[in-house]
């Protein structure tokens, strides 16, 4: 009996999680409706609903990637995205160009940058800094840390599925590379004297004028 092909696995997982997640969302919404706005439990339930909505966005994005090898191209406010990540992961946003907009799936891009922040913390980083800059028709997002770093001879391998320098699954950086590629972008790793810098380059977007 043959197993599931590895390139079909993300789509299969996304498909199987979609219905249970929808049931969880319905239950959380019903619970929220039973709680008054002044009830302290309302804040907790609002947070649960926000996380479930985020998970739904991620699964929908993964399913589209599995079907089409790309994500829906919409405009993403880069400053808002990075500030959200910074608040959740206690990282510093050093600079973002005014009104910077990139094209891609907001949920998947958020998760990709979060993966880099989590990877830095797992490598012992005490400082993680994010900066963005315009690069012609593209926008570069730099995530720099002071962790253990990446050996020069491993730079070409770190985005391969299953590769890990520690006890991780070896899927985080691979997921970053796949997500960025599906957004018509690219990611590269630059070892530093202390730590590592990852740079994600994405297509520059522009909001339609009303």
């Amino acid at each position: 009996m043959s197993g599931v092909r590895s390139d079909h696995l993300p789509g299969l997982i996304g498909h199987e999680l979609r219905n249970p997640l929808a049931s969880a969302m319905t239950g959380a919404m019903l619970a929220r409706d039973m709680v008054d706005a002044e009830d302290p439990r309302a804040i907790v339930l609002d947070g649960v609903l926000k996380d479930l909505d985020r998970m739904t966005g991620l699964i929908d994005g993964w399913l589209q990637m599995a079907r089409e090898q790309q994500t829906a191209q919409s405009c993403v406010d880069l400053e808002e995205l990075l500030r959200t990540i910074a608040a959740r992961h206690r990282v510093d946003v050093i600079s973002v160009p005014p009104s910077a907009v990139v094209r891609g799936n907001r949920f998947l891009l958020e998760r990709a940058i979060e993966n880099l922040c989590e990877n830095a913390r797992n490598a012992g980083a005490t400082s993680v800094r994010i900066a963005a800059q315009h690069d012609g028709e593209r926008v570069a997002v730099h995530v720099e840390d002071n962790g253990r770093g990446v050996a020069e001879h491993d730079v070409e391998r770190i985005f391969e599925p299953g590769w890990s320098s520690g006890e991780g699954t070896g899927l985080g950086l691979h997921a970053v590379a796949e997500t960025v590629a599906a957004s018509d972008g690219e990611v590269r790793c630059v070892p530093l004297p202390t730590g590592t810098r990852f740079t994600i380059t994405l297509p520059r977007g522009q909001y339609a004028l009303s």
Side-chain angles (χ1 to χ4, degrees), residues 133-186:
Q133 63 183 123
H134 285 142
D135 183 12
E137 292 303 312
R138 302 176 80 76
V139 176
V141 179
H142 309 285
V143 180
E144 185 174 309
D145 67 74
N146 65 346
R148 289 190 298 273
V150 176
E152 289 281 356
H153 60 268
D154 285 330
V155 168
E156 299 300 323
R157 304 173 51 214
I158 59 173
F159 297 111
E160 296 176 1
W163 185 91
S164 175
S165 61
E167 298 179 355
T169 62
L171 295 177
L173 291 178
H174 177 63
V176 171
E178 291 291 304
T179 296
V180 172
S183 301
D184 297 326
E186 57 186 22

Side-chain angles (χ1 to χ4, degrees), residues 77-115:
D77 183 330
L78 188 59
E79 181 174 14
E80 185 276 329
L81 176 69
L82 296 183
R83 298 295 178 191
T84 298
I85 294 170
R88 187 180 296 133
H89 292 274
R90 303 187 315 279
V91 303
D92 298 317
V93 176
I94 305 303
S95 63
V96 184
S99 304
V101 176
V102 296
R103 294 202 314 272
N105 179 296
R106 193 220 186 275
F107 294 105
L108 293 182
L109 292 179
E110 178 180 4
R111 184 62 198 139
I113 298 172
E114 281 189 328
N115 258 319

Side-chain angles (χ1 to χ4, degrees), residues 41-53:
R41 291 172 294 183
I43 297 177
V44 177
L45 287 170
D46 286 341
V48 170
L49 284 169
K50 187 174 181 179
D51 286 340
L52 289 173
D53 184 60

